[in-house]
Every structure is written in C-alpha cells, then in structure tokens.
C-alpha cells in the first residue's frame, strides 16, 4: 500500500527530475551567486511575490532556513514568540537554542499564534528588564503543525500586533504550497510578502528533491539585519550547498510556467490537497473523528490503540498525540505522488477496522 507517512518520501516530481538531469552536464560557478539557474529562479520568485527588490536565497532544508533566518533577525539577548507546538520547539532538536536564540512559547493550542497569547508572553518577558530574554520577533507557520491554514484576517491581526510592538515577523513556509492552494484560503504570496520581514517557500515537501527558497522582503530593522547577516550565517550554519545550481534548477522548473497555465509548484500542491480532501471525507464517512482544523494536505484523526498499530503498519501514518482517554491522534499526509486509487485503498482498510 502507498505510504501516507509524509510528503517527502518520494524522490521528486518528474518535471523536477528532468530539470535537474538537464543541467547535469553543465558547469556552474558553484554555490548560488551568479549561477544562471539560481538567478532565473530568483527572478521568477520575485515576480510571483510581487516584490522586485526581495533578496532570494536557497537553503537545503527547513531547519537550516529557520535557524539562519531567526539567528539573523534576533540579537543574542532576544527570542522569538511562537506557539508551544511550533516546529522550532518540537521537531528541530533544539537547533535554534543551540545557536544561542530562545523560543518563547505561548499557550495557544491549535497552532495559530494569537495577539492575546503573544501579548501575555511579551508582557511577562519585558517585566524585569535585562533579566529576561527580550522578544525580538514572532515565528508563525503556514500551514500550522496541525495543518491549519491562516486566513488573511487572522494573519493580518498577528502582523499588526507584531508591528505595534516593533517585532520582526518570520513565516515558516515548509508547506506554504499546500496552504495557499487549500480550500477557502484567501492569502497570497504577494500579501504575505507585503507584511512579513522574511519567509520561505518550501520545496522539500512539495515535489522537489530538497530545498527551500528564502525571501527577505522587508526593509525595516529586522529585515535589514537579516539581509546583511544571511550570507555569512548560511555558510556558518551549514546551509550553503556547493552545488547550488541543483536548488536553482528545481525552483526554476517549479515557478516557470506558460502564461496560459499554472506554475508547477501550485499544481503539485493543489493535487496533494485534493487527495487529502478525498481522504478526509472518506475517513469521516467511515466513522472516524477528525482532530484539529486542517484543510491542507495533512489529515488528523483519532483512533483506538489497535487501529493505530494496524494503520501504522499498513499505511505508515504517524502518531502525534495520545489523548487522556487513551485514543491516538494519527496523521496521514498526501503528496504530489498520491493517487486517488491510493486513497481509496486506504479507506477500504479503514472501513475494515471500523
């Protein structure tokens, strides 16, 4: 059976593989400066973001992107306000802390950072002056850790709050493709770029071999600090790929589209979301309860311990939480490579276990 463990188990979409293969015999200058593929990809991304003067760089993966950007935005005595389930807290082995930067968690429980919870953390941290880590930025993700998709109203509210407190704004976009093509989404790349200091467009989890495109689009103090620091931190933190053309070629293929067609990046994400929606509806019809607020390519449901074990063995789903009543919250993830037939086979198994 097709595995639903994550959205990066397969190598890459055929079009991406073709793009990498096509430049296999070329000689490049190395890294990303001056490489024709990287420069073209930069222009395509600037155009897609509506931000012609954005600084666009490429990192190997999400952890390096998060560490490099937050290290560059924050000073030694500053920290990033984020939710308690933020990726930088729960899934990156303390990478940010190892670089001397602090995560300041709120009590938000659904993956969305709220102004009210952020204000409580801000006031607490500012209460005793130099004896506490000073908030310097906020960290948000789209999608959230539970697959939630930010609405423009909610997004603008937290951005307004951050600006009102002179904090930098960084958005982790590991699954930004899924978020911006999810049903009901009303955010755009252009709007995100107009509000944040920096964000990244995830490739690893949307059909590429690896790679994230960092977009530094702001012009305030935090963005300027990151613009200056990024090239040095990228090298220092191990995020600079010598064969940078491999990243440029992939993003070039993902964002270059004929005027009459949608860019490949959005096609791949939209397909994953469509399969996830098919799966979500089928799981509910089979009698399972959804968990969380996901409308993206991740689907969370509650199951019994026995169902958890059998589903994990058959479909590779991961357990995220064990609830107080003993039920398990498991996650299924669809990708560019998931087919409707794969979803239907999984639903057949679920109906047998119900």
């Amino acid at each position: 059976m097709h595995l639903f463990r994550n959205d990066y188990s397969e190598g890459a979409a055929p079009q991406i593989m073709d793009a990498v293969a096509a430049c296999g015999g070329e000689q490049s200058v190395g890294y990303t400066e001056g490489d024709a593929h990287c420069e073209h990809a930069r222009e395509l991304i600037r155009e897609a973001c509506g931000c012609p003067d954005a600084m666009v760089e490429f990192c190997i993966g999400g952890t390096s992107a998060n560490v490099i950007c937050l290290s560059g935005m924050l000073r030694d005595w500053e920290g990033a306000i984020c939710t308690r389930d933020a990726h930088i807290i729960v899934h990156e082995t303390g990478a940010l802390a190892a670089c001397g930067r602090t995560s300041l968690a709120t009590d938000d429980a659904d993956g969305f950072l709220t102004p009210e919870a952020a204000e409580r953390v801000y006031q607490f941290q500012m209460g005793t002056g130099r004896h506490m880590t000073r908030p310097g930025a906020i960290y948000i993700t789209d999608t959230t850790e539970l697959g939630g998709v930010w609405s423009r109203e909610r997004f603008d509210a937290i951005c307004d709050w951050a600006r009102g407190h002179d904090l930098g704004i960084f958005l982790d976009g590991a699954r930004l493709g899924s978020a911006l093509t999810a049903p009901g989404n009303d955010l755009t790349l252009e709007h995100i770029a107009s509000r944040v200091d920096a964000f990244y467009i995830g490739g690893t989890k949307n059909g590429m071999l690896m790679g994230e495109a960092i977009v530094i689009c702001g012009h305030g103090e935090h963005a300027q600090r990151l613009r200056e620091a990024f090239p040095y931190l990228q090298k220092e933190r191990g995020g600079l790929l010598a064969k940078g053309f491999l990243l440029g070629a992939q993003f070039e293929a993902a964002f270059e589209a004929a005027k009459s067609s949608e860019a490949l990046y959005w096609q791949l994400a939209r397909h994953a979301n469509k399969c996830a929606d098919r799966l979500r509806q089928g799981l509910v019809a089979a009698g399972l309860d959804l968990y969380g607020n996901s409308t993206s390519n991740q689907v969370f449901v509650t199951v019994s311990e026995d169902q958890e074990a059998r589903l994990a063995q058959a479909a590779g789903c991961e357990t995220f939480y064990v609830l107080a009543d003993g039920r398990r919250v498991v996650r299924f993830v669809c990708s560019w490579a998931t087919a409707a037939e794969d979803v239907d086979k999984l639903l057949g198994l679920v109906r047998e276990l119900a």
Side-chain angles (χ1 to χ4, degrees):
M1 180 180 286
H2 177 89
L3 298 181
F4 290 80
R5 179 175 293 112
N6 54 52
D7 39 15
Y8 45 92
S9 288
E10 297 83 13
Q15 302 94 320
I16 299 296
M17 295 296 287
D18 288 346
V20 172
C23 63
E26 298 176 1
Q27 286 191 311
S28 172
V29 295
Y31 304 104
T32 65
E33 296 92 345
D35 170 68
H37 296 291
C38 291
E39 292 303 328
H40 186 208
R42 287 185 173 105
E43 288 305 313
L44 291 171
I45 290 170
R46 291 185 184 110
E47 182 179 358
C49 295
C51 195
D53 58 352
M55 180 177 178
V56 179
E57 298 292 343
F58 304 98
C59 270
I60 300 169
T63 298
S64 62
N66 288 335
V67 165
I68 292 165
C69 289
L70 288 173
S71 293
M73 290 176 69
L74 299 169
R75 294 173 290 192
D76 288 351
W77 58 91
E78 293 179 328
I81 297 177
C82 58
T83 61
R84 65 190 186 191
D85 63 357
H87 208 74
I88 55 175
I89 293 179
V90 300
H91 281 149
E92 294 185 347
T93 324
L96 187 63
C99 294
R101 300 296 186 265
T102 305
S103 302
L104 305 172
T106 69
D107 57 3
D108 291 303
D110 61 357
F112 292 103
L113 184 66
T114 64
E116 296 78 16
E119 180 68 23
R120 289 192 291 272
V121 170
Y122 181 87
Q123 293 299 333
F124 179 77
Q125 294 297 135
M126 296 292 286
T128 56
R130 64 180 180 179
H131 300 287
M132 301 282 279
T133 300
R134 182 188 178 102
I138 63 168
Y139 165 92
I140 58 178
T141 64
D142 199 14
T143 67
T144 69
E145 289 300 303
L146 287 172
V149 174
W150 285 79
S151 67
R152 181 175 295 208
E153 180 180 11
R154 178 177 257 171
F155 174 77
D156 282 342
I158 193 62
C159 290
D160 289 343
W161 178 88
R163 291 297 181 221
H165 290 70
D166 194 27
L167 301 180
I169 304 172
F170 176 65
L171 186 142
D172 176 333
R175 290 190 171 96
L176 191 58
S178 177
L180 297 188
T181 56
N185 168 71
D186 62 353
L187 270 181
T188 63
L189 271 185
E190 294 94 331
H191 189 72
I192 290 171
S194 74
R195 298 304 315 264
V196 306
D197 291 292
F199 68 101
Y200 72 88
I201 301 170
T204 302
K205 297 176 180 177
N206 193 36
M208 299 189 202
L209 284 170
M210 75 288 191
E212 328 298 324
I214 291 90
V215 182
I216 307 172
C217 40
H219 294 282
E221 175 186 357
H222 300 90
Q224 294 294 357
R225 190 182 300 143
L226 178 56
R227 285 174 184 261
E228 178 182 359
F230 190 95
Y232 303 96
L233 287 173
Q234 185 181 28
K235 182 69 173 181
E236 181 184 75
R237 305 298 191 206
L240 182 61
L241 185 65
K243 295 185 178 182
F245 66 90
L246 293 175
L247 300 175
Q250 292 180 79
F251 276 95
E252 188 179 34
F255 278 91
E256 188 169 34
K259 292 182 179 180
S260 60
S261 65
E262 185 180 46
L264 175 64
Y265 187 81
W266 307 117
Q267 293 179 39
L268 298 175
R270 203 177 298 281
H271 172 80
N273 286 344
K274 184 177 180 180
C275 288
D277 190 55
R278 183 186 187 96
L279 176 59
R280 190 176 292 112
Q281 293 183 42
L283 291 171
V284 171
L288 296 186
D289 295 325
L290 297 177
Y291 183 90
N293 46 33
S294 177
T295 56
S296 61
N297 70 318
Q298 301 181 81
V299 182
F300 296 83
V301 294
T302 57
V303 298
S304 68
E305 186 175 359
D306 179 63
Q307 290 171 323
E308 168 201 35
R310 295 181 64 181
L311 287 169
Q313 182 178 13
C317 62
E318 292 184 319
T319 300
F320 261 55
Y321 307 111
V322 177
L323 302 179
D325 61 5
R327 288 180 302 155
R328 272 57 174 168
V329 176
V330 298
R331 181 187 73 165
F332 301 94
V333 189
C334 295
S335 76
W336 66 271
T338 307
E341 294 78 9
D342 299 323
V343 172
D344 292 341
K345 287 180 182 179
L346 174 58
L347 291 174
L349 174 62
V350 170
R351 285 190 289 269
E352 290 177 9
L353 298 179

